[in-house]
mmCIF file of all heavy atoms in Angstrom:
data_model
loop_
_atom_site.group_PDB
_atom_site.id
_atom_site.type_symbol
_atom_site.label_atom_id
_atom_site.label_comp_id
_atom_site.label_asym_id
_atom_site.label_seq_id
_atom_site.Cartn_x
_atom_site.Cartn_y
_atom_site.Cartn_z
ATOM 1 N N PRO A 1 164.681 142.562 161.749
ATOM 2 C CA PRO A 1 165.964 143.105 161.337
ATOM 3 C C PRO A 1 167.106 142.700 162.261
ATOM 4 O O PRO A 1 168.275 142.995 161.975
ATOM 5 C CB PRO A 1 165.731 144.623 161.409
ATOM 6 C CG PRO A 1 164.685 144.822 162.405
ATOM 7 C CD PRO A 1 163.749 143.633 162.232
ATOM 8 N N GLU A 2 166.833 141.961 163.312
ATOM 9 C CA GLU A 2 167.873 141.567 164.262
ATOM 10 C C GLU A 2 168.873 140.590 163.618
ATOM 11 O O GLU A 2 168.542 139.834 162.718
ATOM 12 C CB GLU A 2 167.264 140.998 165.520
ATOM 13 C CG GLU A 2 166.519 142.051 166.356
ATOM 14 C CD GLU A 2 166.040 141.519 167.683
ATOM 15 O OE1 GLU A 2 165.617 140.338 167.730
ATOM 16 O OE2 GLU A 2 166.088 142.267 168.659
ATOM 17 N N LYS A 3 170.075 140.623 164.185
ATOM 18 C CA LYS A 3 171.128 139.696 163.726
ATOM 19 C C LYS A 3 170.754 138.250 163.933
ATOM 20 O O LYS A 3 169.964 137.928 164.835
ATOM 21 C CB LYS A 3 172.423 140.009 164.492
ATOM 22 C CG LYS A 3 172.989 141.401 164.283
ATOM 23 C CD LYS A 3 174.288 141.612 165.024
ATOM 24 C CE LYS A 3 174.088 141.566 166.519
ATOM 25 N NZ LYS A 3 175.346 141.872 167.226
ATOM 26 N N ILE A 4 171.348 137.370 163.129
ATOM 27 C CA ILE A 4 171.007 135.953 163.236
ATOM 28 C C ILE A 4 171.258 135.417 164.643
ATOM 29 O O ILE A 4 170.445 134.639 165.158
ATOM 30 C CB ILE A 4 171.827 135.132 162.221
ATOM 31 C CG1 ILE A 4 171.284 135.355 160.782
ATOM 32 C CG2 ILE A 4 171.803 133.635 162.529
ATOM 33 C CD1 ILE A 4 172.008 134.586 159.705
ATOM 34 N N GLU A 5 172.394 135.827 165.280
ATOM 35 C CA GLU A 5 172.671 135.291 166.617
ATOM 36 C C GLU A 5 171.605 135.710 167.617
ATOM 37 O O GLU A 5 171.285 134.962 168.532
ATOM 38 C CB GLU A 5 174.059 135.701 167.065
ATOM 39 C CG GLU A 5 174.360 137.156 167.010
ATOM 40 C CD GLU A 5 175.106 137.562 165.711
ATOM 41 O OE1 GLU A 5 174.715 137.034 164.659
ATOM 42 O OE2 GLU A 5 176.015 138.393 165.785
ATOM 43 N N ILE A 6 171.057 136.901 167.455
ATOM 44 C CA ILE A 6 169.975 137.346 168.364
ATOM 45 C C ILE A 6 168.727 136.509 168.127
ATOM 46 O O ILE A 6 168.054 136.084 169.068
ATOM 47 C CB ILE A 6 169.645 138.839 168.152
ATOM 48 C CG1 ILE A 6 170.929 139.685 168.415
ATOM 49 C CG2 ILE A 6 168.525 139.279 169.058
ATOM 50 C CD1 ILE A 6 171.443 139.685 169.801
ATOM 51 N N CYS A 7 168.425 136.280 166.854
ATOM 52 C CA CYS A 7 167.275 135.420 166.499
ATOM 53 C C CYS A 7 167.453 134.028 167.086
ATOM 54 O O CYS A 7 166.514 133.439 167.652
ATOM 55 C CB CYS A 7 167.127 135.315 164.979
ATOM 56 S SG CYS A 7 166.695 136.821 164.108
ATOM 57 N N ARG A 8 168.655 133.500 166.968
ATOM 58 C CA ARG A 8 168.907 132.134 167.426
ATOM 59 C C ARG A 8 168.750 132.053 168.937
ATOM 60 O O ARG A 8 168.145 131.118 169.457
ATOM 61 C CB ARG A 8 170.349 131.730 167.063
ATOM 62 C CG ARG A 8 170.718 130.303 167.372
ATOM 63 C CD ARG A 8 172.142 129.968 166.984
ATOM 64 N NE ARG A 8 172.385 130.178 165.589
ATOM 65 C CZ ARG A 8 173.234 131.056 165.049
ATOM 66 N NH1 ARG A 8 173.944 131.832 165.807
ATOM 67 N NH2 ARG A 8 173.387 131.117 163.730
ATOM 68 N N GLU A 9 169.252 133.037 169.673
ATOM 69 C CA GLU A 9 169.131 133.071 171.138
ATOM 70 C C GLU A 9 167.686 133.155 171.548
ATOM 71 O O GLU A 9 167.233 132.449 172.482
ATOM 72 C CB GLU A 9 169.936 134.269 171.670
ATOM 73 C CG GLU A 9 171.431 134.112 171.572
ATOM 74 C CD GLU A 9 172.164 135.382 171.917
ATOM 75 O OE1 GLU A 9 171.505 136.376 172.314
ATOM 76 O OE2 GLU A 9 173.407 135.409 171.738
ATOM 77 N N PHE A 10 166.927 134.029 170.877
ATOM 78 C CA PHE A 10 165.519 134.207 171.285
ATOM 79 C C PHE A 10 164.720 132.955 170.951
ATOM 80 O O PHE A 10 163.886 132.521 171.745
ATOM 81 C CB PHE A 10 164.911 135.406 170.543
ATOM 82 C CG PHE A 10 163.476 135.602 170.911
ATOM 83 C CD1 PHE A 10 163.116 136.203 172.136
ATOM 84 C CD2 PHE A 10 162.456 135.222 170.040
ATOM 85 C CE1 PHE A 10 161.787 136.352 172.480
ATOM 86 C CE2 PHE A 10 161.130 135.372 170.405
ATOM 87 C CZ PHE A 10 160.797 135.970 171.607
ATOM 88 N N LYS A 11 164.979 132.336 169.791
ATOM 89 C CA LYS A 11 164.254 131.119 169.420
ATOM 90 C C LYS A 11 164.493 129.992 170.447
ATOM 91 O O LYS A 11 163.578 129.325 170.873
ATOM 92 C CB LYS A 11 164.680 130.661 168.043
ATOM 93 C CG LYS A 11 163.951 129.423 167.519
ATOM 94 C CD LYS A 11 164.413 129.104 166.093
ATOM 95 C CE LYS A 11 163.558 127.964 165.492
ATOM 96 N NZ LYS A 11 163.825 126.655 166.165
ATOM 97 N N ALA A 12 165.727 129.860 170.852
ATOM 98 C CA ALA A 12 166.107 128.819 171.823
ATOM 99 C C ALA A 12 165.488 129.130 173.176
ATOM 100 O O ALA A 12 164.917 128.249 173.859
ATOM 101 C CB ALA A 12 167.605 128.704 171.936
ATOM 102 N N ALA A 13 165.591 130.390 173.632
ATOM 103 C CA ALA A 13 165.066 130.781 174.957
ATOM 104 C C ALA A 13 163.546 130.623 175.046
ATOM 105 O O ALA A 13 162.994 130.308 176.103
ATOM 106 C CB ALA A 13 165.460 132.205 175.282
ATOM 107 N N SER A 14 162.859 130.803 173.889
ATOM 108 C CA SER A 14 161.403 130.743 173.854
ATOM 109 C C SER A 14 160.901 129.403 173.383
ATOM 110 O O SER A 14 159.669 129.182 173.366
ATOM 111 C CB SER A 14 160.851 131.822 172.937
ATOM 112 O OG SER A 14 161.306 133.127 173.360
ATOM 113 N N ASN A 15 161.815 128.476 173.035
ATOM 114 C CA ASN A 15 161.450 127.156 172.556
ATOM 115 C C ASN A 15 160.447 127.211 171.380
ATOM 116 O O ASN A 15 159.456 126.460 171.339
ATOM 117 C CB ASN A 15 160.837 126.307 173.718
ATOM 118 C CG ASN A 15 161.863 126.005 174.795
ATOM 119 O OD1 ASN A 15 162.964 125.540 174.512
ATOM 120 N ND2 ASN A 15 161.519 126.278 176.048
ATOM 121 N N LEU A 16 160.714 128.093 170.467
ATOM 122 C CA LEU A 16 159.804 128.251 169.323
ATOM 123 C C LEU A 16 159.997 127.088 168.353
ATOM 124 O O LEU A 16 161.088 126.609 168.083
ATOM 125 C CB LEU A 16 160.084 129.549 168.612
ATOM 126 C CG LEU A 16 159.911 130.840 169.404
ATOM 127 C CD1 LEU A 16 160.234 132.079 168.537
ATOM 128 C CD2 LEU A 16 158.510 130.937 169.988
ATOM 129 N N LYS A 17 158.857 126.642 167.805
ATOM 130 C CA LYS A 17 158.849 125.499 166.888
ATOM 131 C C LYS A 17 158.904 125.948 165.408
ATOM 132 O O LYS A 17 158.770 125.114 164.509
ATOM 133 C CB LYS A 17 157.642 124.603 167.128
ATOM 134 C CG LYS A 17 157.592 123.978 168.504
ATOM 135 C CD LYS A 17 156.435 123.032 168.710
ATOM 136 C CE LYS A 17 155.105 123.791 168.775
ATOM 137 N NZ LYS A 17 154.981 124.570 170.039
ATOM 138 N N TYR A 18 159.006 127.240 165.180
ATOM 139 C CA TYR A 18 159.076 127.761 163.810
ATOM 140 C C TYR A 18 160.303 128.606 163.646
ATOM 141 O O TYR A 18 160.946 129.014 164.647
ATOM 142 C CB TYR A 18 157.803 128.527 163.440
ATOM 143 C CG TYR A 18 157.516 129.736 164.322
ATOM 144 C CD1 TYR A 18 157.932 130.989 163.924
ATOM 145 C CD2 TYR A 18 156.825 129.620 165.502
ATOM 146 C CE1 TYR A 18 157.664 132.101 164.714
ATOM 147 C CE2 TYR A 18 156.554 130.712 166.301
ATOM 148 C CZ TYR A 18 156.979 131.949 165.919
ATOM 149 O OH TYR A 18 156.747 133.053 166.710
ATOM 150 N N GLU A 19 160.622 128.997 162.412
ATOM 151 C CA GLU A 19 161.869 129.689 162.173
ATOM 152 C C GLU A 19 161.708 131.192 162.184
ATOM 153 O O GLU A 19 160.686 131.786 161.787
ATOM 154 C CB GLU A 19 162.474 129.269 160.834
ATOM 155 C CG GLU A 19 163.406 128.063 160.922
ATOM 156 C CD GLU A 19 164.603 128.305 161.835
ATOM 157 O OE1 GLU A 19 164.991 129.471 162.059
ATOM 158 O OE2 GLU A 19 165.179 127.300 162.288
ATOM 159 N N LEU A 20 162.792 131.866 162.638
ATOM 160 C CA LEU A 20 162.935 133.300 162.588
ATOM 161 C C LEU A 20 163.923 133.611 161.476
ATOM 162 O O LEU A 20 164.974 132.952 161.353
ATOM 163 C CB LEU A 20 163.458 133.847 163.936
ATOM 164 C CG LEU A 20 162.694 133.401 165.197
ATOM 165 C CD1 LEU A 20 163.375 134.023 166.417
ATOM 166 C CD2 LEU A 20 161.224 133.784 165.110
ATOM 167 N N LEU A 21 163.622 134.605 160.670
ATOM 168 C CA LEU A 21 164.459 134.978 159.570
ATOM 169 C C LEU A 21 165.064 136.348 159.811
ATOM 170 O O LEU A 21 164.393 137.314 160.186
ATOM 171 C CB LEU A 21 163.656 135.031 158.265
ATOM 172 C CG LEU A 21 162.880 133.757 157.883
ATOM 173 C CD1 LEU A 21 162.154 134.001 156.563
ATOM 174 C CD2 LEU A 21 163.791 132.573 157.824
ATOM 175 N N SER A 22 166.391 136.455 159.642
ATOM 176 C CA SER A 22 167.123 137.705 159.896
ATOM 177 C C SER A 22 167.123 138.566 158.606
ATOM 178 O O SER A 22 167.719 138.162 157.604
ATOM 179 C CB SER A 22 168.579 137.388 160.307
ATOM 180 O OG SER A 22 169.296 138.602 160.468
ATOM 181 N N ASP A 23 166.470 139.700 158.712
ATOM 182 C CA ASP A 23 166.335 140.621 157.550
ATOM 183 C C ASP A 23 167.340 141.738 157.741
ATOM 184 O O ASP A 23 166.991 142.841 158.170
ATOM 185 C CB ASP A 23 164.915 141.134 157.489
ATOM 186 C CG ASP A 23 164.661 142.048 156.311
ATOM 187 O OD1 ASP A 23 165.470 141.981 155.357
ATOM 188 O OD2 ASP A 23 163.666 142.775 156.311
ATOM 189 N N SER A 24 168.606 141.468 157.424
ATOM 190 C CA SER A 24 169.686 142.428 157.562
ATOM 191 C C SER A 24 169.387 143.724 156.827
ATOM 192 O O SER A 24 169.029 143.697 155.652
ATOM 193 C CB SER A 24 170.990 141.823 157.093
ATOM 194 O OG SER A 24 172.057 142.720 157.233
ATOM 195 N N ASN A 25 169.564 144.808 157.552
ATOM 196 C CA ASN A 25 169.315 146.175 156.957
ATOM 197 C C ASN A 25 167.866 146.375 156.489
ATOM 198 O O ASN A 25 167.585 147.283 155.701
ATOM 199 C CB ASN A 25 170.276 146.430 155.784
ATOM 200 C CG ASN A 25 171.697 146.464 156.210
ATOM 201 O OD1 ASN A 25 172.070 147.032 157.232
ATOM 202 N ND2 ASN A 25 172.554 145.764 155.467
ATOM 203 N N ASN A 26 166.963 145.531 156.997
ATOM 204 C CA ASN A 26 165.554 145.664 156.645
ATOM 205 C C ASN A 26 165.303 145.632 155.130
ATOM 206 O O ASN A 26 164.369 146.263 154.636
ATOM 207 C CB ASN A 26 164.979 146.969 157.204
ATOM 208 C CG ASN A 26 164.550 146.815 158.657
ATOM 209 O OD1 ASN A 26 163.678 146.090 159.010
ATOM 210 N ND2 ASN A 26 165.187 147.683 159.505
ATOM 211 N N GLU A 27 166.101 144.834 154.474
ATOM 212 C CA GLU A 27 165.982 144.813 152.984
ATOM 213 C C GLU A 27 164.610 144.310 152.518
ATOM 214 O O GLU A 27 164.023 144.850 151.594
ATOM 215 C CB GLU A 27 167.110 143.969 152.393
ATOM 216 C CG GLU A 27 168.482 144.617 152.560
ATOM 217 C CD GLU A 27 169.600 143.801 151.953
ATOM 218 O OE1 GLU A 27 169.322 142.755 151.360
ATOM 219 O OE2 GLU A 27 170.766 144.223 152.091
ATOM 220 N N VAL A 28 164.107 143.260 153.156
ATOM 221 C CA VAL A 28 162.800 142.690 152.734
ATOM 222 C C VAL A 28 161.701 143.561 153.248
ATOM 223 O O VAL A 28 160.749 143.902 152.515
ATOM 224 C CB VAL A 28 162.618 141.248 153.273
ATOM 225 C CG1 VAL A 28 161.208 140.756 152.957
ATOM 226 C CG2 VAL A 28 163.683 140.327 152.636
ATOM 227 N N ALA A 29 161.773 144.052 154.492
ATOM 228 C CA ALA A 29 160.793 144.968 155.016
ATOM 229 C C ALA A 29 160.664 146.193 154.147
ATOM 230 O O ALA A 29 159.580 146.777 153.973
ATOM 231 C CB ALA A 29 161.080 145.325 156.447
ATOM 232 N N THR A 30 161.783 146.630 153.560
ATOM 233 C CA THR A 30 161.796 147.822 152.686
ATOM 234 C C THR A 30 160.991 147.578 151.424
ATOM 235 O O THR A 30 160.181 148.431 151.033
ATOM 236 C CB THR A 30 163.225 148.241 152.359
ATOM 237 O OG1 THR A 30 163.914 148.661 153.567
ATOM 238 C CG2 THR A 30 163.220 149.414 151.360
ATOM 239 N N ILE A 31 161.200 146.425 150.805
ATOM 240 C CA ILE A 31 160.489 146.196 149.543
ATOM 241 C C ILE A 31 158.997 145.922 149.807
ATOM 242 O O ILE A 31 158.179 146.043 148.871
ATOM 243 C CB ILE A 31 161.079 145.020 148.709
ATOM 244 C CG1 ILE A 31 160.993 143.689 149.452
ATOM 245 C CG2 ILE A 31 162.533 145.362 148.323
ATOM 246 C CD1 ILE A 31 161.453 142.493 148.606
ATOM 247 N N TYR A 32 158.655 145.611 151.067
ATOM 248 C CA TYR A 32 157.264 145.465 151.451
ATOM 249 C C TYR A 32 156.670 146.736 152.007
ATOM 250 O O TYR A 32 155.494 146.753 152.414
ATOM 251 C CB TYR A 32 157.094 144.314 152.417
ATOM 252 C CG TYR A 32 156.991 142.939 151.779
ATOM 253 C CD1 TYR A 32 158.151 142.329 151.237
ATOM 254 C CD2 TYR A 32 155.821 142.275 151.721
ATOM 255 C CE1 TYR A 32 158.068 141.108 150.607
ATOM 256 C CE2 TYR A 32 155.711 141.025 151.037
ATOM 257 C CZ TYR A 32 156.833 140.470 150.522
ATOM 258 O OH TYR A 32 156.770 139.227 149.882
ATOM 259 N N GLY A 33 157.447 147.830 151.956
ATOM 260 C CA GLY A 33 156.931 149.143 152.363
ATOM 261 C C GLY A 33 156.739 149.327 153.826
ATOM 262 O O GLY A 33 155.916 150.180 154.230
ATOM 263 N N LEU A 34 157.461 148.607 154.666
ATOM 264 C CA LEU A 34 157.163 148.577 156.109
ATOM 265 C C LEU A 34 158.146 149.333 157.008
ATOM 266 O O LEU A 34 157.866 149.445 158.199
ATOM 267 C CB LEU A 34 157.108 147.115 156.551
ATOM 268 C CG LEU A 34 156.122 146.191 155.854
ATOM 269 C CD1 LEU A 34 156.281 144.759 156.375
ATOM 270 C CD2 LEU A 34 154.689 146.652 156.085
ATOM 271 N N VAL A 35 159.207 149.840 156.500
ATOM 272 C CA VAL A 35 160.279 150.350 157.350
ATOM 273 C C VAL A 35 160.065 151.781 157.794
ATOM 274 O O VAL A 35 159.735 152.658 156.998
ATOM 275 C CB VAL A 35 161.653 150.227 156.669
ATOM 276 C CG1 VAL A 35 162.756 150.746 157.531
ATOM 277 C CG2 VAL A 35 161.935 148.775 156.308
ATOM 278 N N TYR A 36 160.265 152.006 159.117
ATOM 279 C CA TYR A 36 160.268 153.380 159.653
ATOM 280 C C TYR A 36 161.321 153.431 160.755
ATOM 281 O O TYR A 36 161.728 152.410 161.309
ATOM 282 C CB TYR A 36 158.885 153.732 160.197
ATOM 283 C CG TYR A 36 158.451 153.006 161.453
ATOM 284 C CD1 TYR A 36 158.547 153.573 162.697
ATOM 285 C CD2 TYR A 36 157.959 151.695 161.362
ATOM 286 C CE1 TYR A 36 158.144 152.919 163.827
ATOM 287 C CE2 TYR A 36 157.542 151.008 162.500
ATOM 288 C CZ TYR A 36 157.636 151.627 163.740
ATOM 289 O OH TYR A 36 157.256 150.950 164.859
ATOM 290 N N GLU A 37 161.734 154.646 161.097
ATOM 291 C CA GLU A 37 162.742 154.843 162.143
ATOM 292 C C GLU A 37 162.053 155.208 163.456
ATOM 293 O O GLU A 37 161.114 156.021 163.491
ATOM 294 C CB GLU A 37 163.723 155.939 161.749
ATOM 295 C CG GLU A 37 164.859 156.081 162.736
ATOM 296 C CD GLU A 37 165.957 157.034 162.286
ATOM 297 O OE1 GLU A 37 165.767 157.658 161.180
ATOM 298 O OE2 GLU A 37 166.957 157.188 162.965
ATOM 299 N N LEU A 38 162.470 154.581 164.534
ATOM 300 C CA LEU A 38 161.925 154.879 165.829
ATOM 301 C C LEU A 38 162.250 156.350 166.145
ATOM 302 O O LEU A 38 163.365 156.795 165.915
ATOM 303 C CB LEU A 38 162.496 153.960 166.895
ATOM 304 C CG LEU A 38 162.120 152.493 166.800
ATOM 305 C CD1 LEU A 38 162.883 151.664 167.808
ATOM 306 C CD2 LEU A 38 160.623 152.328 167.020
ATOM 307 N N PRO A 39 161.299 157.113 166.667
ATOM 308 C CA PRO A 39 161.510 158.504 166.962
ATOM 309 C C PRO A 39 162.552 158.762 168.030
ATOM 310 O O PRO A 39 162.838 157.836 168.823
ATOM 311 C CB PRO A 39 160.120 159.033 167.396
ATOM 312 C CG PRO A 39 159.376 157.803 167.788
ATOM 313 C CD PRO A 39 159.894 156.672 166.946
ATOM 314 N N LYS A 40 163.123 159.943 168.058
ATOM 315 C CA LYS A 40 164.193 160.290 168.967
ATOM 316 C C LYS A 40 163.817 159.997 170.423
ATOM 317 O O LYS A 40 164.597 159.446 171.204
ATOM 318 C CB LYS A 40 164.564 161.765 168.802
ATOM 319 C CG LYS A 40 165.701 162.194 169.705
ATOM 320 C CD LYS A 40 166.008 163.655 169.504
ATOM 321 C CE LYS A 40 167.143 164.119 170.449
ATOM 322 N NZ LYS A 40 167.443 165.590 170.284
ATOM 323 N N ALA A 41 162.613 160.374 170.828
ATOM 324 C CA ALA A 41 162.189 160.179 172.215
ATOM 325 C C ALA A 41 162.147 158.694 172.565
ATOM 326 O O ALA A 41 162.532 158.300 173.686
ATOM 327 C CB ALA A 41 160.844 160.801 172.467
ATOM 328 N N ALA A 42 161.780 157.872 171.616
ATOM 329 C CA ALA A 42 161.710 156.432 171.846
ATOM 330 C C ALA A 42 163.130 155.871 172.001
ATOM 331 O O ALA A 42 163.416 155.031 172.857
ATOM 332 C CB ALA A 42 161.006 155.735 170.669
ATOM 333 N N LYS A 43 164.045 156.376 171.161
ATOM 334 C CA LYS A 43 165.446 155.955 171.296
ATOM 335 C C LYS A 43 165.997 156.269 172.634
ATOM 336 O O LYS A 43 166.670 155.473 173.269
ATOM 337 C CB LYS A 43 166.307 156.621 170.202
ATOM 338 C CG LYS A 43 165.959 156.279 168.770
ATOM 339 C CD LYS A 43 166.818 157.087 167.817
ATOM 340 C CE LYS A 43 166.330 156.970 166.392
ATOM 341 N NZ LYS A 43 167.154 157.782 165.479
ATOM 342 N N GLU A 44 165.730 157.520 173.106
ATOM 343 C CA GLU A 44 166.248 157.930 174.402
ATOM 344 C C GLU A 44 165.693 157.106 175.561
ATOM 345 O O GLU A 44 166.415 156.692 176.461
ATOM 346 C CB GLU A 44 165.956 159.404 174.610
ATOM 347 C CG GLU A 44 166.717 160.335 173.648
ATOM 348 C CD GLU A 44 166.263 161.752 173.744
ATOM 349 O OE1 GLU A 44 165.249 162.024 174.373
ATOM 350 O OE2 GLU A 44 166.971 162.652 173.174
ATOM 351 N N THR A 45 164.395 156.842 175.479
ATOM 352 C CA THR A 45 163.744 156.078 176.534
ATOM 353 C C THR A 45 164.213 154.643 176.535
ATOM 354 O O THR A 45 164.556 154.095 177.589
ATOM 355 C CB THR A 45 162.189 156.119 176.399
ATOM 356 O OG1 THR A 45 161.755 157.470 176.421
ATOM 357 C CG2 THR A 45 161.523 155.333 177.533
#
């Protein structure tokens, strides 16, 4: 779900040879039934 620029930075920093796809608002993850919200304690930590 990260922004394209974050994906681009991570791909370059890690020298990945494959593509990262930015799933804005978790739209694809949602139709695949995968989305959940990180719990409050996790957010705080």
Side-chain angles (χ1 to χ4, degrees):
E2 291 186 322
K3 297 182 293 184
I4 286 180
E5 53 264 41
I6 301 295
C7 294
R8 186 181 299 118
E9 290 170 5
F10 180 77
K11 183 177 186 291
S14 303
N15 293 311
L16 299 180
K17 297 184 289 293
Y18 61 94
E19 272 299 338
L20 308 180
L21 305 181
S22 176
D23 183 18
S24 179
N25 297 314
N26 276 300
E27 292 180 3
V28 174
T30 295
I31 64 173
Y32 276 73
L34 302 175
V35 179
Y36 69 101
E37 185 172 4
L38 292 173
K40 181 180 178 182
K43 297 177 190 178
E44 293 173 349
T45 302

